[in-house]
Amino acid sequence: MDEDNGVAVDPHALVVDGVASLRHLRWNDVIHLAEPTLGMGAGHWRVSVTHDLRPISTDEAAAHAAEGHAIREAHRSPDWEGPFALKLGGLRLDALRAALAALDDVPGGALVVITSAEHPWEGRHSPAQTGIETGRYMPNPGGGNYGDLYYDKYDSAEDVPEDAVPAVFLSPCN
């Protein structure tokens, strides 16, 4: 089977027989899903170094068992509410509607700029902070489809060019 078909799984998404949590599995441990679960196909899955799950063939699982390793049955946790094995990040529509309704002091002609979410720590795998901020936008005079963002909460009025336009910065997800 293809090693690139790995999936990241939240430790709370699956219940694994014989261990307290999915977190307690070690590298190269194998689980078996009797039926498709949370976007993963039925079959055998091996724990990778990064604790992602990678599909393996029935023959590979049999060889693993022949070496004396346990193959543990796993199934969806009864407490897991999402459709995937990871919680979905992003800005919910209800939150977007409420935030936009609260922006009554922003002119209707303000530009809506889609930005990536901010990461409080280094690296793209840190939790992203989604949201809506107000400020001003200045296009790049040298060309291109980007410009400078000036956030009301960060930038002082002296730092913002006079001809920058009012803007709402929408940061929905990574």
Side-chain angles (χ1 to χ4, degrees):
M1 289 195 157
D2 187 359
E3 277 289 315
D4 293 331
N5 289 334
V7 295
V9 177
D10 187 289
H12 302 98
L14 295 175
V15 174
V16 181
D17 294 345
V19 293
S21 157
L22 186 62
R23 242 181 232 159
H24 291 91
L25 293 177
R26 295 184 322 257
W27 176 48
N28 277 336
D29 279 352
V30 175
I31 65 168
H32 177 256
L33 297 173
E35 58 187 36
T37 304
L38 300 171
M40 296 177 289
H44 296 92
W45 293 79
R46 179 182 54 82
V47 178
S48 75
V49 174
T50 59
H51 275 78
D52 293 345
L53 298 178
R54 306 250 178 231
I56 63 172
S57 69
T58 304
D59 290 342
E60 290 171 299
H64 183 77
E67 293 173 1
H69 300 284
I71 296 178
R72 302 179 188 284
E73 290 298 317
H75 58 277
R76 179 188 187 128
S77 172
D79 298 330
W80 191 257
E81 296 178 7
F84 304 107
L86 286 177
K87 289 183 180 171
L88 295 175
L91 188 61
R92 303 289 184 222
L93 183 57
D94 287 343
L96 174 61
R97 287 179 176 145
L100 290 175
L103 297 178
D104 54 6
D105 59 339
V106 177
L111 184 66
V112 176
V113 179
I114 308 291
T115 67
S116 61
E118 296 178 23
H119 295 278
W121 303 300
E122 292 297 320
R124 69 179 188 91
H125 294 294
S126 65
Q129 295 176 343
T130 60
I132 296 177
E133 300 291 339
T134 58
R136 299 184 73 75
Y137 175 80
M138 183 69 182
N140 179 1
N145 60 351
Y146 58 90
D148 295 321
L149 309 179
Y150 299 93
Y151 291 86
D152 287 340
K153 72 178 188 179
Y154 298 126
D155 298 301
S156 67
E158 300 88 47
D159 296 334
V160 181
E162 258 183 56
D163 47 353
V165 297
V168 175
F169 307 123
L170 175 61
S171 302
C173 63
N174 296 357

